[in-house]
Amino acid sequence: MNLSRRTFIASAALLPVACGVPLSYEGGVPVSAPSPTPKVRQPQVGQEWIYIKKDVFNGKTLGLITERVVSVGSNIVIERSENGAALPNEIQTSWGFVQTDPQWSKVLNFRPALALWPTELTADWSKQFITKYTVAGYPDGELGWQEYMSAQGWEKITVPAGDFIALRFHNLINYESDDPNKFACMHNETIWFAPQIGRWVAREISGSYKIQGEGGTVISENSYQWQLVSNK
C-alpha cells in the first residue's frame, strides 16, 4: 500500500470534524426553512442554466458556462459549452446522481453515481458517500473518492439571475489522485441549491494536495466561483 492510499484511508475518520469550515466567499442571508419543503424541479429537455465563472483570488471572469438538458431517459444528459465552445457532457443516472462529471479539471466517471445535492432537503442533513472514479479515457484506473456532504441551512442569496431561497451545503472531498506524486488531496465545495430550478445558483470550490518527498508542504489549487446568470 503506497503513502497516497494510506493517507486516503486514514483521513476518512477526520471528515465529520473538518466539514465545518466552509469557503464563505459568497454570502446569503439565513432564513427559516420553507414550509412545505419545496420539491426539486424535474428535468425536461430544453431546461437551461447559464453561469458566470470567476477566479476567487483576483475576481477575473473566466467564462460563461451554458448547461442544457438534451436527453431524459435511462440517463439524463446535460450538454455544456463555454463562451459558445463545446464542453464535455454531464451524465446523470437519475436526477441528482452524477455518473460523468465534467466540472473538474478532468472528466470524472463515478461508479456508483455520486449525489449532487442532499437527498433530504433539511438544514441538519448530512451523509458520507464512498465511491470510485476513473478519469475519462482510462477506464481501468479506479481511484478512491470519499465525500462528506452536510447541509448548513436555508439562505436567501442574490446572484445575477435574481434572488433565490436555497439550501446551502458543504462538501469535503478526500480523493486519490491519478498523479502518483500527489497525496492528501482535498476539495472543498460550498453550494447553494435552489430546488425550484433543479440546480445550484452559486458554487465555490478550492483544493489542496501534497507532493511526495517535499516535506509535507500543502499546495493550494486555484479557487473558483460560479453564479447563475439566467435559467429557463
Side-chain angles (χ1 to χ4, degrees):
M1 182 182 293
N2 62 32
L3 179 59
S4 176
R5 185 172 293 273
R6 289 202 302 271
T7 303
F8 172 78
I9 294 172
S11 63
L14 301 178
L15 290 177
V17 176
C19 69
V21 187
L23 295 175
S24 300
Y25 298 126
E26 182 66 78
V29 177
V31 297
S32 299
S35 182
T37 301
K39 294 185 180 298
V40 178
R41 181 185 179 186
Q42 294 301 296
Q44 296 179 342
V45 172
Q47 190 172 352
E48 181 182 272
W49 310 268
I50 299 177
Y51 297 93
I52 188 170
K53 179 181 178 181
K54 294 185 177 182
D55 185 308
V56 168
F57 295 126
N58 60 25
K60 182 180 179 180
T61 296
L62 301 176
L64 202 62
I65 313 296
T66 299
E67 302 182 331
R68 182 181 299 109
V69 178
V70 295
S71 177
V72 177
S74 57
N75 288 321
I76 299 158
V77 180
I78 297 177
E79 186 180 77
R80 305 173 68 249
S81 64
E82 181 172 0
N83 301 330
L87 294 173
N89 292 341
E90 175 183 310
I91 300 175
Q92 300 184 24
T93 55
S94 60
W95 195 223
F97 285 84
V98 66
Q99 180 181 66
T100 299
D101 191 346
Q103 304 277 353
W104 307 92
S105 59
K106 300 176 182 179
V107 176
L108 306 185
N109 295 308
F110 292 102
R111 189 175 64 180
L114 186 65
L116 287 172
W117 56 76
T119 56
E120 297 178 12
L121 302 182
T122 58
D124 58 354
W125 180 92
S126 64
K127 186 173 181 178
Q128 180 171 295
F129 296 94
I130 299 176
T131 187
K132 297 285 187 178
Y133 82 95
T134 57
V135 176
Y138 301 90
D140 297 326
E142 278 197 337
L143 297 162
W145 184 283
Q146 295 179 343
E147 180 170 325
Y148 186 78
M149 182 183 291
S150 58
Q152 298 182 322
W154 291 90
E155 294 185 354
K156 180 180 180 181
I157 185 169
T158 301
V159 294
D163 295 335
F164 294 87
I165 301 299
L167 182 64
R168 171 176 167 160
F169 66 96
H170 179 248
N171 292 330
L172 179 66
I173 302 165
N174 171 227
Y175 66 99
E176 290 181 285
S177 175
D178 60 323
D179 182 342
N181 292 313
K182 293 182 179 180
F183 71 102
C185 302
M186 307 293 291
H187 283 308
N188 276 283
E189 292 185 289
T190 301
I191 298 171
W192 285 261
F193 175 70
Q196 65 268 36
I197 70 165
R199 200 75 167 168
W200 42 275
V201 297
R203 180 185 184 189
E204 298 163 346
I205 183 171
S206 65
S208 64
Y209 59 89
K210 297 179 182 179
I211 295 291
Q212 304 278 12
E214 293 195 0
T217 301
V218 176
I219 299 173
S220 295
E221 297 179 315
N222 291 336
S223 185
Y224 301 111
Q225 179 189 86
W226 294 261
Q227 292 182 326
L228 185 71
V229 173
S230 67
N231 70 283
K232 66 179 182 180

